[in-house]
PDB file of all heavy atoms in Angstrom:
ATOM      1  N   LYS A  14     124.878  43.968 103.365  1.00  0.00           N
ATOM      2  CA  LYS A  14     125.600  44.809 104.302  1.00  0.00           C
ATOM      3  C   LYS A  14     125.422  46.273 103.943  1.00  0.00           C
ATOM      4  O   LYS A  14     125.279  46.629 102.782  1.00  0.00           O
ATOM      5  CB  LYS A  14     127.087  44.449 104.295  1.00  0.00           C
ATOM      6  CG  LYS A  14     127.372  43.046 104.819  1.00  0.00           C
ATOM      7  CD  LYS A  14     128.860  42.773 104.836  1.00  0.00           C
ATOM      8  CE  LYS A  14     129.141  41.380 105.378  1.00  0.00           C
ATOM      9  NZ  LYS A  14     130.594  41.097 105.405  1.00  0.00           N
ATOM     10  N   TYR A  25     115.087  43.332  95.318  1.00  0.00           N
ATOM     11  CA  TYR A  25     113.642  43.502  95.239  1.00  0.00           C
ATOM     12  C   TYR A  25     113.000  42.771  94.060  1.00  0.00           C
ATOM     13  O   TYR A  25     111.784  42.623  94.024  1.00  0.00           O
ATOM     14  CB  TYR A  25     113.291  44.993  95.139  1.00  0.00           C
ATOM     15  CG  TYR A  25     113.874  45.826  96.245  1.00  0.00           C
ATOM     16  CD1 TYR A  25     114.891  46.738  95.994  1.00  0.00           C
ATOM     17  CD2 TYR A  25     113.408  45.702  97.549  1.00  0.00           C
ATOM     18  CE1 TYR A  25     115.426  47.508  97.010  1.00  0.00           C
ATOM     19  CE2 TYR A  25     113.945  46.465  98.573  1.00  0.00           C
ATOM     20  CZ  TYR A  25     114.959  47.365  98.299  1.00  0.00           C
ATOM     21  OH  TYR A  25     115.485  48.125  99.308  1.00  0.00           O
ATOM     22  N   LEU A  27     112.917  42.514  89.584  1.00  0.00           N
ATOM     23  CA  LEU A  27     112.764  43.486  88.501  1.00  0.00           C
ATOM     24  C   LEU A  27     111.442  44.256  88.552  1.00  0.00           C
ATOM     25  O   LEU A  27     111.444  45.486  88.453  1.00  0.00           O
ATOM     26  CB  LEU A  27     112.915  42.787  87.147  1.00  0.00           C
ATOM     27  CG  LEU A  27     112.801  43.697  85.917  1.00  0.00           C
ATOM     28  CD1 LEU A  27     113.867  44.779  85.952  1.00  0.00           C
ATOM     29  CD2 LEU A  27     112.906  42.877  84.634  1.00  0.00           C
ATOM     30  N   PRO A  28     110.280  43.604  88.713  1.00  0.00           N
ATOM     31  CA  PRO A  28     109.013  44.369  88.719  1.00  0.00           C
ATOM     32  C   PRO A  28     108.956  45.420  89.827  1.00  0.00           C
ATOM     33  O   PRO A  28     108.590  46.574  89.584  1.00  0.00           O
ATOM     34  CB  PRO A  28     107.945  43.282  88.917  1.00  0.00           C
ATOM     35  CG  PRO A  28     108.582  42.025  88.438  1.00  0.00           C
ATOM     36  CD  PRO A  28     110.030  42.153  88.807  1.00  0.00           C
ATOM     37  N   LEU A  39     108.548  60.291  89.834  1.00  0.00           N
ATOM     38  CA  LEU A  39     107.334  61.111  89.852  1.00  0.00           C
ATOM     39  C   LEU A  39     107.583  62.471  90.497  1.00  0.00           C
ATOM     40  O   LEU A  39     106.879  63.440  90.203  1.00  0.00           O
ATOM     41  CB  LEU A  39     106.215  60.380  90.603  1.00  0.00           C
ATOM     42  CG  LEU A  39     105.478  59.272  89.846  1.00  0.00           C
ATOM     43  CD1 LEU A  39     104.415  58.653  90.741  1.00  0.00           C
ATOM     44  CD2 LEU A  39     104.847  59.809  88.567  1.00  0.00           C
ATOM     45  N   ILE A  78      81.836  88.152  72.444  1.00  0.00           N
ATOM     46  CA  ILE A  78      82.083  87.813  73.846  1.00  0.00           C
ATOM     47  C   ILE A  78      81.137  86.670  74.194  1.00  0.00           C
ATOM     48  O   ILE A  78      79.935  86.867  74.337  1.00  0.00           O
ATOM     49  CB  ILE A  78      81.849  89.033  74.751  1.00  0.00           C
ATOM     50  CG1 ILE A  78      82.761  90.181  74.322  1.00  0.00           C
ATOM     51  CG2 ILE A  78      82.092  88.672  76.209  1.00  0.00           C
ATOM     52  CD1 ILE A  78      82.437  91.501  74.996  1.00  0.00           C
ATOM     53  N   VAL A 119      67.690  81.422  79.308  1.00  0.00           N
ATOM     54  CA  VAL A 119      67.852  82.489  80.295  1.00  0.00           C
ATOM     55  C   VAL A 119      67.152  83.741  79.761  1.00  0.00           C
ATOM     56  O   VAL A 119      67.310  84.072  78.581  1.00  0.00           O
ATOM     57  CB  VAL A 119      69.347  82.782  80.545  1.00  0.00           C
ATOM     58  CG1 VAL A 119      69.513  83.928  81.527  1.00  0.00           C
ATOM     59  CG2 VAL A 119      70.061  81.538  81.057  1.00  0.00           C
ATOM     60  N   TYR A 136      71.814  66.943  71.715  1.00  0.00           N
ATOM     61  CA  TYR A 136      73.033  67.206  70.933  1.00  0.00           C
ATOM     62  C   TYR A 136      74.230  66.486  71.541  1.00  0.00           C
ATOM     63  O   TYR A 136      74.435  66.502  72.761  1.00  0.00           O
ATOM     64  CB  TYR A 136      73.318  68.708  70.886  1.00  0.00           C
ATOM     65  CG  TYR A 136      74.681  69.036  70.324  1.00  0.00           C
ATOM     66  CD1 TYR A 136      74.934  68.962  68.961  1.00  0.00           C
ATOM     67  CD2 TYR A 136      75.730  69.394  71.174  1.00  0.00           C
ATOM     68  CE1 TYR A 136      76.188  69.244  68.451  1.00  0.00           C
ATOM     69  CE2 TYR A 136      76.984  69.678  70.674  1.00  0.00           C
ATOM     70  CZ  TYR A 136      77.208  69.601  69.308  1.00  0.00           C
ATOM     71  OH  TYR A 136      78.459  69.879  68.812  1.00  0.00           O
ATOM     72  N   ASN A 203      82.402  91.782  96.715  1.00  0.00           N
ATOM     73  CA  ASN A 203      82.065  91.102  97.965  1.00  0.00           C
ATOM     74  C   ASN A 203      82.572  89.662  97.937  1.00  0.00           C
ATOM     75  O   ASN A 203      82.287  88.914  97.001  1.00  0.00           O
ATOM     76  CB  ASN A 203      80.548  91.112  98.190  1.00  0.00           C
ATOM     77  CG  ASN A 203      80.015  92.514  98.412  1.00  0.00           C
ATOM     78  OD1 ASN A 203      80.729  93.384  98.917  1.00  0.00           O
ATOM     79  ND2 ASN A 203      78.766  92.745  98.036  1.00  0.00           N
ATOM     80  N   GLY A 218      98.620  83.844  90.140  1.00  0.00           N
ATOM     81  CA  GLY A 218     100.051  83.611  89.978  1.00  0.00           C
ATOM     82  C   GLY A 218     100.358  82.760  88.766  1.00  0.00           C
ATOM     83  O   GLY A 218     101.352  82.992  88.059  1.00  0.00           O
ATOM     84  N   PHE A 236     100.381  73.893  79.051  1.00  0.00           N
ATOM     85  CA  PHE A 236      99.841  73.314  80.279  1.00  0.00           C
ATOM     86  C   PHE A 236      98.368  73.642  80.483  1.00  0.00           C
ATOM     87  O   PHE A 236      97.855  73.525  81.593  1.00  0.00           O
ATOM     88  CB  PHE A 236     100.654  73.797  81.486  1.00  0.00           C
ATOM     89  CG  PHE A 236     102.119  73.484  81.371  1.00  0.00           C
ATOM     90  CD1 PHE A 236     103.026  74.462  81.002  1.00  0.00           C
ATOM     91  CD2 PHE A 236     102.582  72.202  81.615  1.00  0.00           C
ATOM     92  CE1 PHE A 236     104.379  74.177  80.891  1.00  0.00           C
ATOM     93  CE2 PHE A 236     103.933  71.905  81.505  1.00  0.00           C
ATOM     94  CZ  PHE A 236     104.833  72.890  81.139  1.00  0.00           C
ATOM     95  N   LEU A 237      97.679  74.055  79.439  1.00  0.00           N
ATOM     96  CA  LEU A 237      96.252  74.343  79.559  1.00  0.00           C
ATOM     97  C   LEU A 237      95.455  73.051  79.477  1.00  0.00           C
ATOM     98  O   LEU A 237      95.823  72.138  78.766  1.00  0.00           O
ATOM     99  CB  LEU A 237      95.808  75.303  78.455  1.00  0.00           C
ATOM    100  CG  LEU A 237      96.258  76.759  78.611  1.00  0.00           C
ATOM    101  CD1 LEU A 237      95.715  77.595  77.473  1.00  0.00           C
ATOM    102  CD2 LEU A 237      95.795  77.334  79.934  1.00  0.00           C
TER     103      LEU A 237
END
Side-chain angles (χ1 to χ4, degrees):
K14 294 182 179 180
Y25 305 111
L27 181 60
L39 282 180
I78 302 170
V119 178
Y136 169 76
N203 294 331
F236 303 102
L237 287 182

